[in-house]
Amino acid sequence: MDLPGWTIRGCALRDVAAILSVSRASDIASLGEPDWTEEEVVATLTAPHLDPATDAWLAFGPDGTALAWAYVDNPERGPRDNVEVYAVPPDGWPAFGPLLDLALARVAERGGEVVRAGVVPGETAYVEALTARGFAFRKRHARMTRALTGEERPPEPRFGVRAVRDAELPRFHEVLQTAFADTPDFVPTSYAHWRAALAALPSVSWDEWLVAEAGGAIVGVLQSADQGVERGEGWVKNLAVLRGHRGTGIGGALLRAAFAIYAAKGRTTAGLGVDLTNPTGAYHLYTNAGMTVAFAADMYERSR
């Protein structure tokens, strides 16, 4: 490690406060406001297939202050691992390279085939560290948001939108898999692995998991996540509509139903992430639902 006087070690739940301080300082510099919450840090450290002692690291400067944090995750154990690195600017920037080296070594141990890293445009020091290690720009994502007024109402009954029933989860998974097979980076996930990943989550608000029916069959689904609850945000993790039913209003109806549920629970915003190269027209669906881009993130990638 070419950082004289620094200390880098694995993480534990006792480090939540230090991690939050680092991530918030990084967010404020790159986004203008903090994006991480304590709840999200805990969820990350306890995520499926992530051991914070070996898959996450904190870097401390010579005076003992936590200045950078990194972790590798792959909750469904697919062929792509994700690495995230956050640093307090500018003092934490020297840790970008050493933390990436640790992450890449860990990915090799885990047998990952591809590594991806998200970068907010303007994080030049991080981009330099990535490109020096063989990462190249792959595509751009956007984080989108919409204010909730409390006046949101569910869609018309003709769309058949309602909460999923437990017995319908296999069909829910099937619709997700089938619909996302249209996207460039689709990686099939078995139902057993999907359910195991769900079981490892700290909480699941099943009333925010929605289905839409047509002809008596489920043809569209919306999966929420509890990650934004602490900051008053409803989070749409996945929205999928089968190809033959796109353009019929089902996607918008699922969004309106989710917004109404979030607002009824006192949430003030709804958010989601979207791949801007998604060929299904997801971005336009979201803008038509009143969502706007909060910030963009560039995805960099390298083969192990």
Side-chain angles (χ1 to χ4, degrees):
M1 180 181 71
D2 188 23
L3 286 176
W6 287 60
T7 300
I8 297 180
R9 62 164 174 79
C11 298
L13 285 175
R14 68 176 182 275
D15 296 315
V16 169
I19 291 170
L20 194 60
S21 176
V22 169
S23 60
R24 285 181 167 173
S26 176
D27 288 340
I28 289 171
S30 60
L31 306 176
E33 60 183 4
D35 190 52
W36 280 82
T37 66
E38 180 177 341
E39 175 189 59
E40 289 169 332
V41 173
V42 171
T44 297
L45 295 179
T46 57
H49 308 300
L50 188 151
D51 181 348
T54 58
D55 300 325
W57 304 268
L58 262 176
F60 299 85
D63 66 353
T65 301
L67 293 176
W69 172 51
Y71 67 92
V72 174
D73 77 333
N74 189 345
E76 295 177 350
R77 294 312 297 263
R80 288 191 297 269
D81 285 278
N82 301 303
V83 58
E84 299 282 352
V85 185
Y86 296 85
V88 177
D91 295 343
W93 290 349
F96 278 137
L99 287 173
L100 282 171
D101 291 338
L102 286 170
L104 290 170
R106 181 58 179 148
V107 169
E109 291 175 0
R110 288 160 50 129
E113 300 172 11
V114 176
V115 193
R116 283 187 170 175
V119 182
V120 176
E123 290 184 310
T124 55
Y126 189 24
V127 171
E128 289 172 2
L130 287 167
T131 55
R133 287 158 180 80
F135 284 81
F137 174 79
R138 176 73 171 75
K139 59 183 178 179
R140 177 164 286 190
H141 283 254
R143 188 187 193 286
M144 303 188 73
T145 188
R146 179 190 189 277
L148 299 176
T149 65
E151 301 298 320
E152 288 74 16
R153 296 293 178 266
E156 300 171 14
R158 67 185 178 90
F159 290 106
V161 176
R162 57 173 173 77
V164 68
R165 303 179 183 117
D166 187 68
E168 295 168 332
L169 287 174
R171 174 61 177 173
F172 194 105
H173 171 263
E174 180 184 5
V175 172
L176 281 177
Q177 293 289 293
T178 303
F180 280 116
D182 292 346
T183 60
D185 293 325
F186 172 69
V187 176
T189 302
S190 71
Y191 181 68
H193 282 158
W194 184 69
R195 286 306 303 263
L198 293 180
L201 294 174
S203 64
V204 177
S205 298
W206 293 110
D207 62 317
E208 298 176 11
W209 285 48
L210 307 175
V211 299
E213 294 179 300
I218 294 173
V219 299
V221 299
L222 184 148
Q223 176 186 351
S224 296
D226 289 347
Q227 68 184 57
V229 173
E230 187 178 326
R231 59 171 173 263
E233 181 179 50
W235 186 259
V236 178
K237 180 176 177 61
N238 286 310
L239 173 63
V241 178
L242 296 179
R243 180 191 292 270
H245 297 272
R246 293 171 189 162
T248 63
I250 287 176
L254 285 164
L255 282 174
R256 290 196 299 277
F259 295 163
I261 293 171
Y262 300 156
K265 292 184 176 184
R267 315 269 177 81
T268 56
T269 59
L272 54 79
V274 61
D275 177 355
L276 296 180
T277 63
N278 187 323
T280 64
Y283 176 77
H284 296 295
L285 171 65
Y286 301 144
T287 56
N288 289 339
M291 305 194 80
T292 58
V293 173
F295 62 85
D298 292 336
M299 192 64 63
Y300 283 72
E301 178 180 291
R302 62 160 267 179
S303 298
R304 180 171 64 83

